[in-house]
Amino acid sequence: CFAGCTKKPSDFRNANFGMSVSEVTKKENVDFVYASDNLLFYTTTMNAEDSEIYYYFVDGKLSEAECKFIIDGRTIDENIARFERMTAYLTSLYGEPVNPDFNRWLTEDEEQKLDRPALLIYNQFLEYYLEWQTETAHISLLLNYKDAQINYVYAAEAIAQE
């Protein structure tokens, strides 16, 4: 890239949608776990967070990817702080999120909305959710409590190109 130009960030980590399994494999330099025709699975540390990385392929081309952050007994409050750090990181890559209000309410009861965020997430009244959009990718960051576990996921999905 020449001086003054802005380099487009990769769609997910160092990979771009449409890449083959072998192209994505060459871009990753983390701990390999498993591969098949439609999946690559790695473990790594991403943004100082232990995580599992999944790449999904359709017709041999990368179409989705996700990073599931390892919870390891952290509290919801600790995960809220992690969510805020990852939000800053993703914003530095992709610009401002398309939905700056990250609260996604799962209840209509205004009285229940008055509790502190960690309890609201634990009681499944609230989840934190942000989205970014590029020309080629829809990117999301989610923190919620579902099925008796905390879920903290960074994901990207290819946007259909015409």
Side-chain angles (χ1 to χ4, degrees):
C1 187
F2 57 87
C5 80
T6 326
K7 186 177 180 195
K8 174 192 170 293
S10 298
D11 292 322
F12 185 85
R13 294 177 50 84
N14 295 318
N16 287 304
F17 292 118
M19 286 181 157
S20 67
V21 171
S22 67
E23 289 172 314
V24 173
T25 301
K26 289 175 187 171
K27 292 282 187 179
E28 276 297 356
N29 58 356
V30 295
D31 296 333
F32 172 79
V33 177
Y34 175 81
S36 71
D37 290 342
N38 58 3
L39 171 72
L40 287 174
F41 172 31
Y42 298 89
T43 58
T44 188
T45 300
M46 182 171 174
N47 202 29
E49 304 281 357
D50 290 338
S51 57
E52 297 175 343
I53 306 292
Y54 299 87
Y55 291 98
Y56 303 99
F57 299 82
V58 174
D59 297 327
K61 301 293 181 188
L62 180 62
S63 62
E64 290 183 51
E66 68 183 355
C67 170
K68 293 182 179 180
F69 294 99
I70 307 300
I71 302 303
D72 281 341
R74 289 182 175 96
T75 66
I76 293 176
D77 282 322
E78 290 170 314
N79 281 288
I80 288 172
R82 295 168 80 195
F83 182 93
E84 291 166 351
R85 286 190 302 273
M86 191 64 179
T87 296
Y89 173 71
L90 293 175
T91 299
S92 75
L93 291 177
Y94 303 112
E96 291 299 316
V98 296
N99 65 323
D101 179 12
F102 55 84
N103 293 314
R104 187 155 69 179
W105 291 101
L106 307 175
T107 182
E108 296 299 321
D109 186 340
E110 291 301 319
E111 201 167 297
Q112 290 175 333
K113 293 180 180 181
L114 300 176
D115 218 335
R116 61 188 197 90
L119 287 175
L120 291 168
I121 290 171
Y122 178 78
N123 289 314
Q124 299 179 20
F125 298 139
L126 172 69
E127 60 187 16
Y128 282 5
Y129 183 76
L130 283 170
E131 299 174 285
W132 291 262
Q133 192 91 21
T134 69
E135 291 177 14
T136 55
H138 175 257
I139 297 112
S140 62
L141 183 64
L142 170 71
L143 173 64
N144 69 8
Y145 186 83
K146 192 173 185 178
D147 301 327
Q149 68 180 11
I150 298 170
N151 300 291
Y152 177 34
V153 179
Y154 155 46
E157 182 177 12
I159 294 175
Q161 302 295 308
E162 296 172 21

